[in-house]
Amino acid sequence: MKAGRWIMTCVFAVCVTLPFTPSSAKAAASVKVELPTYAVNVDGKKIDNVNLTYPLITYNGITYFPLTWNVATGLGLAVSWSPDAGLSVQSHKPKQNELAMETGPANTRTSYMAQVAPFPVTIDGQTVNKESETWPLLTFRDVTYFPMTWDYAVKRFGWKTSWDGSEFSIFTGPVWERLFYDDESYLYAYAHYDGANRIVRIRKDFQGPPELLKDEEAERIRELAYPPAETVSPKHTERKGNKLYGEGAELIDVHVHAEKHAALYEPGTDNVEYSERIVKTEAGGTVFNLALHPPLASLRLADPDTHTYFVKNSKAIEIHAFDKTIQGTESAAGGTWLWSRAPGVRSTSTNPLGSAGSVGKVLWLDSEGNARLWNDTLKAEHLRVLQADENALIVEAYRLTKPPAEPSDATQGYFRIQADGSYEKLADTVRGQGYADRQGQLYELSGPNRITNLTKNISHTWKDSELAESRS
């Protein structure tokens, strides 16, 4: 079974023990089902499919999952059965138990026979049209298996699903996506819950249940975390013929550049749209960050043709190592920090200029235009700035491609880097994207609803029963 199809259409099946008579068995069509060859994880718990009385099965490329009474309550589903109405499933019910599945003899075969269920089904009060269903309900070992398509699992039940190439995961409750803000006592994270993006507030001492914020409070936190952007000011560069100038210094000859990179520009190009970012340094210099917009560049590319210059006393120095759009800056004694946006997913795009996709870069630029690319210093594929002040930056170093044959200890981890080129490693990465709070403590979302305080080396995982207390 191809993973790509599984991601898009993977279903989560549920089963309920139901009356099943020999007469209905004779009338039901038989189909071949198989045991899944990949791992399945539900709310952070890996399913031991080999030793289950009612194992997960797959039919027609789709995964079915048995829902006994215990499993139903573990998933937050309510199920009922009657001879006349058939099977009724209701979602968004408070969870009472952790997911529990009945263990039994080992399932040694790779394929079995199941039957198409002949009874009617309603989901949240809506009757399922069995005639149009690509993946019908099945009965296996006298248990009903109900297919949860993408439409059911994600769109209707509001669950979150993920696939990493070898394991399929389903999260039925709030799923914390990313830490993005903090105050004196709390961390704030984006949470996927009930099909919507919410904000959850978590105590920094990990005591008590987290709290899903109501809309008004959530909006207030967003405004604190992301102040309104500055209004766009007129361009500081000017064009004379084919050349762009900044503060009297020549920056780039557009025509020559377009000819050199013909794969991105149409023949005879003499006019190129571009955007700019300007950083005034305390030592009297100016950084010009120009993002040219080549007409033939793929829209998927991030920063396909970006150039950075340091101008002082009408002389320009191109900083070739920093070919990304500036996301943030911080002034410091003797120079300026510059950094670009760090990616959260792997980029598979290619670019004739060799600048494919987003790359998290951090640059130190002294008062005379001498540059240090910290990616080279730390041998890091990506650097994400977590905290910046006039003395130092706290950065997360990580990689998204395959590791080198002999990876350096500095390739991944959290570091405090100084303007003089010195640095110290603060912690190793655990699993997820890091966050530095206003006190300088490091955190990671290191698993499903699990936070690790890397500074204090303590972790806490909130169970579904605890998360249920936070639902509003």
Side-chain angles (χ1 to χ4, degrees):
M1 180 176 59
K2 295 183 179 179
R5 181 184 177 190
W6 205 80
I7 296 172
M8 294 303 297
T9 61
C10 182
V11 298
F12 192 74
V14 292
C15 72
V16 180
T17 303
L18 300 174
F20 188 63
T21 64
S23 59
S24 62
K26 292 178 182 179
S30 295
V31 296
K32 181 181 178 181
V33 298
E34 299 177 340
L35 298 183
T37 57
Y38 41 82
V40 177
N41 182 301
V42 179
D43 290 333
K45 182 176 182 179
K46 188 174 181 179
I47 305 301
D48 178 13
N49 202 47
V50 174
N51 299 298
L52 292 181
T53 303
Y54 309 111
L56 281 69
I57 59 176
T58 65
Y59 169 63
N60 196 22
I62 297 303
T63 306
Y64 285 64
F65 194 101
L67 181 63
T68 59
W69 180 259
N70 287 337
V71 175
T73 57
L75 294 175
L77 299 174
V79 294
S80 60
W81 164 264
S82 74
D84 296 329
L87 176 67
S88 174
V89 179
Q90 290 183 301
S91 61
H92 307 305
K93 297 298 179 182
K95 301 175 83 171
Q96 302 298 320
N97 305 309
E98 292 187 46
L99 178 65
M101 301 184 71
E102 295 83 349
T103 58
N107 297 292
T108 58
R109 295 167 54 186
T110 58
S111 64
Y112 298 87
M113 297 304 295
Q115 290 72 43
V116 176
F119 42 80
V121 179
T122 58
I123 308 295
D124 289 332
Q126 296 184 7
T127 301
V128 175
N129 184 351
K130 294 192 298 179
E131 301 300 325
S132 62
E133 286 293 302
T134 304
W135 298 283
L137 277 74
L138 301 176
T139 57
F140 178 60
R141 295 183 178 176
D142 290 344
V143 165
T144 300
Y145 280 61
F146 183 87
M148 288 262 193
T149 62
W150 179 270
D151 180 68
Y152 286 127
V154 178
K155 296 177 65 177
R156 186 175 299 195
F157 290 175
W159 297 350
K160 181 178 176 61
T161 62
S162 67
W163 168 256
D164 67 3
S166 61
E167 181 176 84
F168 179 68
S169 299
I170 292 181
F171 303 95
T172 63
V175 181
W176 304 343
E177 305 277 4
R178 178 171 60 88
L179 295 168
F180 72 96
Y181 184 68
D182 72 284
D183 54 29
E184 291 298 322
S185 302
Y186 295 96
L187 298 167
Y188 296 85
Y190 284 115
H192 179 95
Y193 175 60
D194 195 11
N197 292 321
R198 303 281 297 278
I199 292 177
V200 64
R201 177 160 49 203
I202 308 135
R203 286 178 59 99
K204 289 184 177 180
D205 59 10
F206 298 162
Q207 300 300 308
E211 177 187 1
L212 276 170
L213 300 186
K214 296 185 182 298
D215 292 344
E216 183 176 343
E217 178 65 7
E219 184 60 29
R220 185 184 73 84
I221 295 299
R222 286 192 188 93
E223 291 176 354
L224 291 172
Y226 306 108
E230 297 181 3
T231 57
V232 178
S233 59
K235 287 184 176 179
H236 290 69
T237 53
E238 61 176 335
R239 180 165 182 154
K240 298 178 181 179
N242 293 323
K243 299 178 180 180
L244 297 179
Y245 290 81
E247 295 187 350
E250 179 184 332
L251 303 180
I252 189 170
D253 187 316
V254 173
H255 186 69
V256 172
H257 181 76
E259 288 183 339
K260 184 178 180 180
H261 300 288
L264 293 176
Y265 296 90
E266 296 175 349
T269 297
D270 60 2
N271 187 26
V272 175
E273 295 293 327
Y274 69 96
S275 55
E276 67 178 37
R277 297 197 178 193
I278 307 300
V279 180
K280 295 284 188 179
T281 68
E282 294 185 356
T286 302
V287 176
F288 289 84
N289 185 234
L290 308 181
L292 281 65
H293 305 301
L296 302 183
S298 169
L299 294 178
R300 296 178 302 168
L301 297 179
D303 303 327
D305 195 1
T306 303
H307 305 263
T308 303
Y309 303 87
F310 176 76
V311 176
K312 190 174 183 179
N313 299 325
S314 298
K315 294 182 179 180
I317 301 172
E318 183 169 4
I319 313 300
H320 294 280
F322 199 86
D323 57 351
K324 297 296 170 185
T325 297
I326 294 174
Q327 181 198 22
T329 68
E330 182 72 26
S331 296
T336 303
W337 295 99
L338 309 173
W339 60 90
S340 62
R341 185 179 302 279
V345 295
R346 180 179 298 180
S347 173
T348 57
S349 302
T350 57
N351 182 0
L353 293 183
S355 176
S358 297
V359 179
K361 291 189 173 185
V362 173
L363 188 87
W364 167 254
L365 192 65
D366 71 16
S367 59
E368 298 304 318
N370 300 304
R372 177 187 298 111
L373 185 67
W374 273 92
N375 300 64
D376 293 341
T377 302
L378 296 177
K379 300 180 177 65
E381 181 180 344
H382 298 284
L383 291 176
R384 177 182 289 112
V385 175
L386 304 181
Q387 191 176 86
D389 59 39
E390 62 182 10
N391 298 314
L393 302 186
I394 295 178
V395 298
E396 176 184 4
Y398 63 103
R399 57 175 176 256
L400 295 175
T401 58
K402 293 181 180 180
E406 296 181 359
S408 166
D409 289 341
T411 299
Q412 297 192 97
Y414 297 93
F415 298 84
R416 178 179 285 107
I417 59 178
Q418 311 281 349
D420 62 4
S422 63
Y423 64 89
E424 61 175 318
K425 189 172 186 179
L426 303 176
D428 291 318
T429 56
V430 177
R431 182 174 179 178
Q433 181 173 326
Y435 180 81
D437 72 0
R438 61 190 59 209
Q439 289 91 12
Q441 295 191 84
L442 290 169
Y443 298 85
E444 266 195 354
L445 285 178
S446 51
N449 301 329
R450 176 181 177 85
I451 295 181
T452 298
N453 184 320
L454 298 172
T455 304
K456 296 182 177 181
N457 195 28
I458 57 174
S459 298
H460 186 79
T461 301
W462 282 266
K463 298 180 180 180
D464 288 324
S465 56
E466 294 177 276
L467 294 177
E469 299 179 36
S470 71
R471 302 178 188 182
S472 59

